[in-house]
Every structure is written in C-alpha cells, then in structure tokens.
Amino acid sequence: MQLLVDDALIEKIIILVFGENHVNEVKTILRNIKNATELQKKIMTQCKRWIVSNSMKSVETQGLDTIQNGKPYLFTGNHRDITLDAFMLQISMVENGLNSCNIAFGSNLILNKTIEIFSKANKMFKVERSQNIRELAKNSQHLSDYIRYLIKERQSVWIAQRNGRTKDGNDKTDHGIITMFSMSGDRNDLITNLSELNITPVATSYEFEPCAMMKARERYITERDGKYVKQPMEDMDSMISGIWKKKGTMNIAICPSITKEDLIEYEGADKRIVIQAVADLIDKRIYENYRLYPNNFIAYDWLSGTSTFKNRYTEEDKFVFKAYCDKIFSKLYEELGSEAEPRFTEILLGIYANPIENKIRNS
C-alpha cells in the first residue's frame, strides 16, 4: 500500500475519482488497508461508481442471487473489454455482500511495477503468455494447479473463455482453456475433474462496444497484411479507452453452472468429446443470456440488407447508431484509405450483429 501511495499515477487516479481535496484522506486510508477485501470495499467500489457515472448509463446484473458465499465458482466469461468485464463482476459481488472473485490477468498487461502491485493487491493473478511450446505447457500446468488450489480454498475465480478479447463479436470458448482446467485434476475421470471446478459461464454485453474501433481496425489490418503488430503501450491505450469511452448500458449475466449431471452422458467418452461438450455448454449459456440491445438488431438488418428486426428499434435508435458508426468510419478511412470501406463496414457491424447470429443458431 505504501508503494501505491507514493506512486504519481495512483495520485492522479485518486484526484480523478475522489477529488483533489481528498488526496491526503484517501492516501491515509490506503496506508492502513490490510487485505484485498478492505481495498475493494473502501477504494474499488468508489472507482466502479466513478466509471459508471462517467461512461455508462448503468450496470445491470442477473444471477447474483444464485451465488452462495462459501461456495467457489470458476466464472468463465466472454471477453469484451480488457479490464471492465471482470472488474465490474468482482465489485458487484462486493456490493452485494458476496466474497469477490480472483481475476486471471494476462502478463502482457503488466506494463509496469505499479500495475503489478495494484493487481496483486486486488486479487488479480498473472497468466504467463509464451510462444515457446515447452514454456506454454509448463505455464498451463501452473495456472491449472493454481486455479484448482483457489477453488479448493473456496475462493472464486474469473477467467476469459479465450486468450484475448473477441474482435468480431463471436464469443467462442477456446478448447485449450478447458484442457488447461483439466490438467490439475484426475485425468482418468474427466467428468468429475471438470465438474469439481463448478464452471460458471458469464455473459457480458455492452450497448456500445468498448474499443470497437480499435478491434475492427486490428482485425482489418490482420486480414490485409496477414498479421498485426501491436505498438508499444497499445494495450494500455485499450485499457484506458475501455474505461473512458461511453458504453451506454452494461449487462452482466451469471449463467447456470455446469454440473456433473450436465456431463454424465459423456462419461467414458474420448477426452476431446468431453472438452468439446464443456466448451459448447459454456457457449450455449453465454449466447442464451447475452443481452441484445437495439444496436445489435440495427447492425444485423444493416449488414443483411433486411428489416427482419425493425420492431426492435426506433428511428432515433438508428440515427444514433449510424452517427456512432460514421464517426468511426471517418477516422479509420483517413488512415486506411477508402478501399477499406466495404470490408471494414462488415467487420464493425459484425461485432454487433454476430451475437444475434449466435443466439439464432443456438435457440
């Protein structure tokens, strides 16, 4: 806490969230904090309220009433924003009198010592990224062991359903994540192994997608050039943009947990079939509980050239969404050139339209 108090960046955040007149008061509170629960109750709840009041209409949650204190959950969530998806769930749990979850956080986001110290203090743990196959296997085993340790200690965990945020609006679980979960349990009884973790899908949706422009730009350049090279501090820019930019309403839906009964029909099946079944269940529950907004229906009709969902939005909704898209288009075409227009339009609209496609396919 003393290291955080002495950091210039933390002081700027204190001024932003609490006001310049309260800097010394907040620093005194920080110095006396002894554990993560105190930090979350005394500081992070206020940070959450500041983010909501400055960049959202509201945060709505479903399923918190199904969460039992003392029972651990492995929240496996779709990943739309670098920081907000997990943070908003974590602090919503605190505000509702629940024990907060630990958060898995990519090592690429530990950009300096301050972020490392803060993340550890706020129940966040580092997921090592590596291109080396041997290191990847070692890191996956270590991560699996730690997640199962936390669950056995009756502590909940949030982890993304895939490595990195979805860039196209398709919330699809990476089979490698489920395989990693299983590495620390009984490999001869995969059904018990996975059901012990109490895997609980979480569907997070935003009325206006955080960093939609940056996501669409990255995907377009990847398709055009065959790869995308991140610039220094680009992840930091994405984190800041995700917090600052207007998002309208955010919805967090905690879906039913995946139980042994859900998987019992796969007992004795090949490991790949069980892994596939778990990934499919996570996807299905996220698709079913994903909150659709007028923007999603407008994008679907715009992209398909139909009026299939015209009763789900108003002319005013269309005007606002089109103005939002035009602003993004004008910025990106200036950089990418007018030849980017057809494909870039498809990519941006797809971020909003694909959740409808997923819901239709899985209904």
Side-chain angles (χ1 to χ4, degrees):
M1 290 299 101
Q2 187 60 51
L3 288 168
L4 291 180
V5 165
D6 292 340
D7 189 88
L9 174 61
I10 296 299
E11 180 164 324
K12 288 179 182 177
I13 293 171
I14 292 172
I15 292 170
L16 198 63
V17 175
F18 295 90
E20 200 161 2
N21 295 333
H22 297 281
V23 172
N24 291 333
E25 176 190 341
V26 174
K27 283 187 175 184
T28 299
I29 292 170
L30 276 171
R31 286 190 190 96
N32 289 289
I33 283 173
K34 298 293 188 295
N35 54 54
T37 301
E38 284 186 27
L39 177 66
Q40 290 168 349
K41 286 182 176 179
K42 295 179 179 180
I43 301 295
M44 303 315 296
T45 52
Q46 187 62 35
C47 291
K48 180 200 166 190
R49 289 171 196 144
W50 183 89
I51 291 169
V52 173
S53 64
N54 284 275
S55 72
M56 300 182 190
K57 291 177 188 173
S58 63
V59 176
E60 299 169 355
T61 57
Q62 288 84 47
L64 278 174
D65 57 335
T66 67
I67 302 302
Q68 302 172 37
N69 260 341
K71 182 176 181 178
Y73 298 81
L74 178 48
F75 296 116
T76 306
N78 64 332
H79 198 17
R80 295 299 180 117
D81 182 76
I82 288 179
T83 55
L84 293 182
D85 296 352
F87 173 71
M88 288 294 177
L89 171 64
Q90 184 190 59
I91 304 305
S92 293
M93 293 175 76
V94 172
E95 291 174 330
N96 283 270
L98 298 167
N99 298 327
S100 65
C101 56
N102 296 266
I103 296 173
F105 197 60
S107 59
N108 58 305
L109 303 176
I110 308 294
L111 300 170
N112 56 46
K113 192 67 179 175
T114 301
I115 291 176
E116 182 174 16
I117 293 168
F118 168 78
S119 63
K120 287 181 178 179
N122 196 47
K123 295 176 73 172
M124 300 164 78
F125 60 92
K126 183 167 59 176
V127 176
E128 293 288 356
R129 300 279 174 82
S130 175
Q131 299 298 319
N132 181 287
I133 297 297
R134 184 175 293 180
E135 283 186 6
L136 180 62
K138 180 182 175 183
N139 294 340
S140 295
Q141 182 67 61
H142 185 62
L143 177 60
S144 184
D145 289 341
Y146 186 61
I147 288 173
R148 196 170 293 265
Y149 161 77
L150 289 172
I151 295 296
K152 285 182 177 178
E153 291 291 308
R154 312 196 76 73
Q155 293 191 55
S156 295
V157 175
W158 181 95
I159 190 169
Q161 68 179 160
R162 55 188 286 170
N163 181 1
R165 295 166 295 161
T166 172
K167 303 297 193 302
D168 59 3
N170 275 311
D171 300 307
K172 194 74 178 164
T173 302
D174 184 343
H175 290 190
I177 293 288
I178 312 304
T179 300
M180 180 273 291
F181 291 164
S182 73
M183 290 171 71
S184 55
D186 184 351
R187 300 193 187 192
N188 295 316
D189 184 358
L190 202 53
I191 304 302
T192 300
N193 176 331
L194 291 168
S195 59
E196 283 175 346
L197 294 173
N198 198 25
I199 298 169
T200 305
V202 180
T204 302
S205 54
Y206 298 85
E207 187 175 0
F208 288 92
E209 186 78 14
C211 304
M213 181 177 76
M214 299 168 85
K215 292 178 185 180
R217 176 182 175 275
E218 180 177 335
R219 186 164 178 227
Y220 175 80
I221 292 173
T222 301
E223 289 182 4
R224 185 191 66 186
D225 301 343
K227 64 178 181 178
Y228 180 80
V229 180
K230 281 187 180 180
Q231 299 301 308
M233 300 304 287
E234 188 169 331
D235 284 327
M236 177 64 85
D237 290 341
S238 291
M239 283 193 279
I240 293 170
S241 294
I243 291 169
W244 271 106
K245 287 193 174 177
K246 301 296 182 184
K247 290 168 281 292
T249 299
M250 176 184 182
N251 186 264
I252 305 168
I254 298 171
C255 312
S257 302
I258 295 172
T259 65
K260 193 167 188 176
E261 288 69 31
D262 291 323
L263 302 175
I264 201 69
E265 65 181 285
Y266 302 101
E267 194 159 19
D270 183 82
K271 176 181 177 180
R272 288 171 297 180
I273 293 174
V274 178
I275 297 294
Q276 176 76 54
V278 174
D280 288 347
L281 275 170
I282 293 171
D283 293 346
K284 183 176 175 57
R285 291 180 186 181
I286 286 175
Y287 298 153
E288 287 173 345
N289 290 277
Y290 188 94
R291 168 72 66 84
L292 296 171
Y293 298 96
N295 292 345
N296 300 103
F297 297 108
I298 295 165
Y300 183 94
D301 283 355
W302 186 349
L303 198 54
S304 63
T306 67
S307 55
T308 306
F309 294 107
K310 63 181 180 180
N311 63 329
R312 304 297 295 267
Y313 52 83
T314 65
E315 287 300 315
E316 183 180 354
D317 291 331
K318 281 176 66 177
F319 176 82
V320 171
F321 185 67
K322 190 172 187 308
Y324 157 84
C325 289
D326 286 345
K327 188 175 179 181
I328 291 176
F329 294 153
S330 64
K331 286 183 180 178
L332 268 296
Y333 297 157
E334 188 176 323
E335 176 195 354
L336 303 172
S338 58
E339 66 273 13
E341 182 173 351
R343 182 61 187 136
F344 186 83
T345 301
E346 287 178 356
I347 291 171
L348 181 66
L349 294 179
I351 290 173
Y352 288 91
N354 283 331
I356 294 180
E357 293 275 8
N358 290 331
K359 194 171 281 256
I360 291 171
R361 277 198 299 268
N362 288 270
S363 60

